[in-house]
Each structure stands twice: as C-alpha cells, then as structure tokens.
Amino acid sequence: QVQLVESGGGPVQPGGSLRLSCAASGSIYRINTMGWYRQARGKQRELVADITGGDSTNYNDSVKGRFTISRDNAKNTVYLQMNSLKPEDTAVYYCYMDVQYRVHLSGTYWGQGTQVTVSS
C-alpha cells in the first residue's frame, strides 16, 4: 500500500508564490514519473508538470517560466514551486506518482488534493 500526502496549498495574492509538496510512504521499490495535475471548478483536470526518474521535465504551456517541478528521491517527495501566480491558477492541485512497489509490479497513486486560491 502506498499513500501520497500533499501540503502547501492555500490562499495567495496575484504575483505571489507557493510551494506544494507531495510525499509518498509505504511499500516502495522505486518511483518513476512524478507530477502534478490541477482541476479548476467547472473544468477538466489538466497536467501542470511532470518529472521522470531521469529528471526530464514537462510543463503545461500556461505555467512555463513560472512553475518549477523537482523531486527528492531520498524522501520520495515531489515539489512544485509556483511563482508569479495568477487568478487563473486557482484550482485543486493533485500530485501523482508511478510507483514500483515490487520489481515487476507498479501502479499510479494520487494525493488527496490541495486547494490553491489566487485572489486579491
């Protein structure tokens, strides 16, 4: 069993910054891709950013240059540094991880979601 716990969301003014964290615990052999999705009210969930086991990153065009994804493999944690936040970044942010919990067994796990609200 693998659990992901997110932290770091909350209210912030436009132009401000937040750092989201997502830590995995449980039976973990290796974690491959880690990432973040978000879902704004009334909209579909969209990929924000992801990072592979080889540290290759991918970003949604709307956050390029403002958000940075990183990972700490020793802590089984993924981070999302969000700068220059805009009201349109308001959403519930969900982390996910592709976890190998045995050599030949893997699954995708999700965090519980954390609300980010950008408003003056």
Side-chain angles (χ1 to χ4, degrees), residues 18-36:
L18 282 176
R19 188 192 195 206
L20 305 183
S21 300
C22 174
S25 62
S27 179
I28 298 171
Y29 172 71
R30 179 167 56 203
I31 303 176
N32 297 310
T33 300
M34 301 177 175
W36 294 89

Side-chain angles (χ1 to χ4, degrees), residues 12-18 66 82-87 89 118-119:
V12 63
Q13 292 188 341
S17 298
L18 282 176
R66 300 188 298 122
M82 305 186 293
N83 299 328
S84 302
L85 282 159
K86 304 175 181 180
D89 295 317
V118 185
S119 174

Side-chain angles (χ1 to χ4, degrees), residues 42-106:
K43 295 187 176 181
Q44 289 189 329
R45 190 176 293 195
E46 64 176 0
L47 176 68
V48 178
D50 59 30
I51 182 167
T52 68
D55 287 336
S56 294
T57 57
N58 174 52
Y59 293 93
N60 186 303
D61 285 345
S62 67
V63 307
K64 283 181 180 177
R66 300 188 298 122
F67 291 10
T68 302
I69 190 169
S70 61
R71 60 191 286 165
D72 184 334
N73 293 325
K75 295 181 179 180
N76 292 329
T77 299
V78 62
Y79 304 97
L80 185 68
Q81 177 66 45
M82 305 186 293
N83 299 328
S84 302
L85 282 159
K86 304 175 181 180
E88 50 264 43
D89 295 317
T90 296
V92 178
Y93 285 70
Y94 299 90
C95 65
Y96 79 92
M97 297 187 188
D98 293 328
V99 178
Q100 280 182 262
Y101 49 91
R102 296 288 189 271
V103 174
H104 299 295
L105 295 174
S106 62

